[in-house]
Amino acid sequence: MTIRIQTDLLGELEVDEKDLLFFPRGLPGFGKFYRWFIAGEEEETIKWLVSADCGSVALPVASPGVIDPGYDPVFPEGSLESIGVEETGQAVLLAVLNLPRDNPLEGTANLLAPVVLNPATRMGRQVVLNDGRYSIHTPLVRAGKTAEGGAV
């Protein structure tokens, strides 16, 4: 079944209910919103994690591997059980981005607390890592290069 969701950012979208993601604990700062979906074209690096419960909430996200090709998080024991992930290879990871409107090249990614999705159960959660290698403010552009490796 398809549902229509009015979003502030992307206008009215039709979303198949089977494409909804369920966050049993919500997301930090958005605890009352449990249903989300990913919007954006397949080939786009940046996508949007949009609340199906409140269309005015949309978070820019990207694969952490695009930002840090060596990204290899170690999750706290038991932190992924609630969404049915036994091995991290089963999961899809997303980094929430901060993209300043006036200068998106100064954007950052939160690699310390990735969003973890289980494609099999359509469940997700954001997990805070106990890992000093990662930051909530990882630059998207480093020393004259974009996160994708191209020159600025």
Side-chain angles (χ1 to χ4, degrees):
M1 175 181 217
T2 300
I3 59 173
R4 291 177 190 254
I5 299 171
Q6 183 63 43
T7 71
D8 291 352
L9 182 68
L10 304 167
E12 185 175 88
L13 299 174
E14 287 190 13
V15 179
D16 195 314
E17 283 187 345
K18 70 176 178 55
D19 292 330
L20 291 178
L21 302 164
F22 183 69
F23 287 74
R25 299 178 183 185
L27 285 170
F30 304 101
K32 294 181 181 180
F33 306 140
Y34 301 103
R35 301 176 316 143
W36 297 77
F37 63 95
I38 297 175
E41 299 299 322
E42 188 70 31
E43 66 277 358
E44 293 177 343
T45 301
I46 297 174
K47 298 194 178 15
W48 295 93
L49 185 60
V50 182
S51 171
D53 298 318
C54 178
S56 63
V57 177
L59 306 173
V61 294
S63 169
V66 170
I67 298 146
D68 178 352
Y71 190 68
D72 186 27
V74 176
F75 291 94
E77 189 165 333
S79 63
L80 303 179
E81 290 176 357
S82 66
I83 60 170
V85 172
E86 295 174 14
E87 298 177 21
T88 55
Q90 300 173 305
V92 172
L93 304 180
L94 297 172
V96 177
L97 308 179
N98 175 12
L99 301 173
R101 289 181 194 248
D102 56 337
N103 191 355
L105 292 178
E106 291 183 2
T108 60
N110 181 348
L111 296 184
L112 187 61
V115 173
V116 182
L117 304 173
N118 181 338
T121 63
R122 307 294 300 167
M123 295 176 72
R125 73 173 289 197
Q126 189 169 23
V127 178
V128 178
L129 305 174
N130 297 323
D131 193 332
R133 297 177 296 165
Y134 302 115
S135 167
I136 61 171
H137 299 293
T138 303
L140 297 179
V141 177
R142 298 175 212 221
K145 293 192 173 195
T146 64
E148 292 180 357
V152 176

